[in-house]
Amino acid sequence: MTSPATDAPRTLHKTITSHKGAVNVVRYAKGNAKYALSGGRDRLIKLWNRETAMDIKTYSGHGYEVLCIDVAHDNSKFASCGGDRVAYVWDVTSGETIRRFHGHAGRINVVALNSDASVVASGSYDSTVRLWDLRSQSRQAIQTLDDARDSIMSIHVGPTEIITGSVDGYVRSYDIRKGQLNSDLIGFPVSSIQPMEDSLSLLIGTLDSTIRLMDRANGTMLNSFKGHVNKDYSIKSCFGYGQASIICGDEEGQIWAWDLLTATPLGNQPPPKVHEKVITWIEHHPTNSGDMLTASADGTVKIWRS
């Protein structure tokens, strides 16, 4: 561990109320992450300054609610998806869509860009993951992964692999170079996956109110984290600062944090209710300690500091 486990940031810095209706996703920009993007039921994506909470730009084009956003490594573009079965790629500066990829038969729950933003992966209610080449003018997917038997809820695109989490209870890892698929049965609908930086273990959130840390080499469970309520909604969990802790929102509007090694809850128990409805997304700043974002079905995004 690069640092001892510390509790999640719990001092409210700013509240953003510019969305109308539930906010489904909030993402830091890359690098020093001075800005952030949020998307929600109002079909809009908003770019804002996370220090002042002031809106900078609004991106409109989705016909249905926005469910996921992923920002490119250089902050020049981002991908988004939602209820309209289309994966969008946007130019940050102009506010225009660069590409729109059609092909899914149901809403798209998740999008993920690769490290150089040349490929975008989209995962859908139609149980497939489709890969789209941003360097090609073709509108056809370059590959379709159709092994899942239910909705795709989470995707991670690594240098040589793609990891997916599905409602069918499986985490699937596709080795792109070898053309191999490794499937791990978790046994409950998978709503969130995130590998550790060393890629040796994987954080998996499931709809049995449990987060599991799994050893990727042999599929054994290294630790499990409980106390939060997560049975009905897709809720994003994440690593805390230095990957020494686990942080998750829940359906009661509470923020939970645990020590990664001991699974001991951090902070007051139970934690205070900080959103009026389910916390849909939580994200810790990539480099700063004590800096975190939450999005909620109560229509707000909150910026937290230690």
Side-chain angles (χ1 to χ4, degrees), residues 12-150:
L12 183 61
H13 173 63
K14 298 280 185 181
T15 300
I16 292 168
T17 58
S18 55
H19 282 284
K20 293 179 173 62
V23 186
N24 297 317
V25 56
V26 60
R27 303 300 308 268
Y28 284 102
K30 296 298 196 291
N32 64 5
K34 183 179 179 182
Y35 304 103
L37 286 155
S38 54
R41 191 168 292 167
D42 58 8
R43 304 175 292 180
L44 300 175
I45 297 165
K46 292 182 178 288
L47 173 72
W48 39 272
N49 183 305
R50 64 177 186 81
E51 203 56 57
T52 64
M54 296 292 290
D55 280 9
I56 297 167
K57 203 172 195 68
T58 297
Y59 303 84
S60 59
H62 277 277
Y64 294 81
E65 68 176 327
V66 179
L67 294 173
C68 187
I69 297 167
D70 196 30
V71 184
H73 63 293
D74 59 0
N75 291 324
S76 66
K77 54 181 173 276
F78 65 89
S80 67
C81 67
D84 38 13
R85 308 180 185 184
V86 181
Y88 293 75
V89 181
W90 304 78
D91 179 85
V92 169
T93 306
S94 72
E96 302 296 320
T97 51
I98 304 169
R99 304 291 297 272
R100 299 187 184 196
F101 295 110
H102 302 256
H104 282 291
R107 72 168 185 264
I108 304 176
N109 297 315
V110 56
V111 284
L113 292 158
N114 68 339
S115 60
D116 67 356
S118 61
V119 173
V120 60
S122 55
S124 170
Y125 185 76
D126 67 11
S127 307
T128 70
V129 174
R130 294 172 192 257
L131 307 181
W132 314 90
D133 187 348
L134 296 182
R135 295 169 299 190
S136 166
Q137 290 307 305
S138 171
R139 298 188 177 186
Q140 301 299 313
I142 52 175
Q143 192 170 357
T144 300
L145 310 175
D146 59 1
D147 303 280
R149 292 294 167 260
D150 209 327

Side-chain angles (χ1 to χ4, degrees), residues 269-283:
Q269 298 303 311
K273 180 172 182 170
V274 296
H275 280 281
E276 290 304 309
K277 294 183 179 178
V278 55
I279 297 174
T280 51
W281 199 285
I282 196 162
E283 191 152 303

Side-chain angles (χ1 to χ4, degrees), residues 7-8 10 226-229 246-250 254-258 265-266 268-271 282:
D7 190 19
R10 296 189 187 272
K226 297 186 178 186
H228 63 300
V229 177
I246 306 298
I247 304 173
C248 183
D250 77 356
Q254 298 169 314
I255 297 171
W256 292 77
W258 302 265
L266 302 170
N268 294 333
Q269 298 303 311
I282 196 162

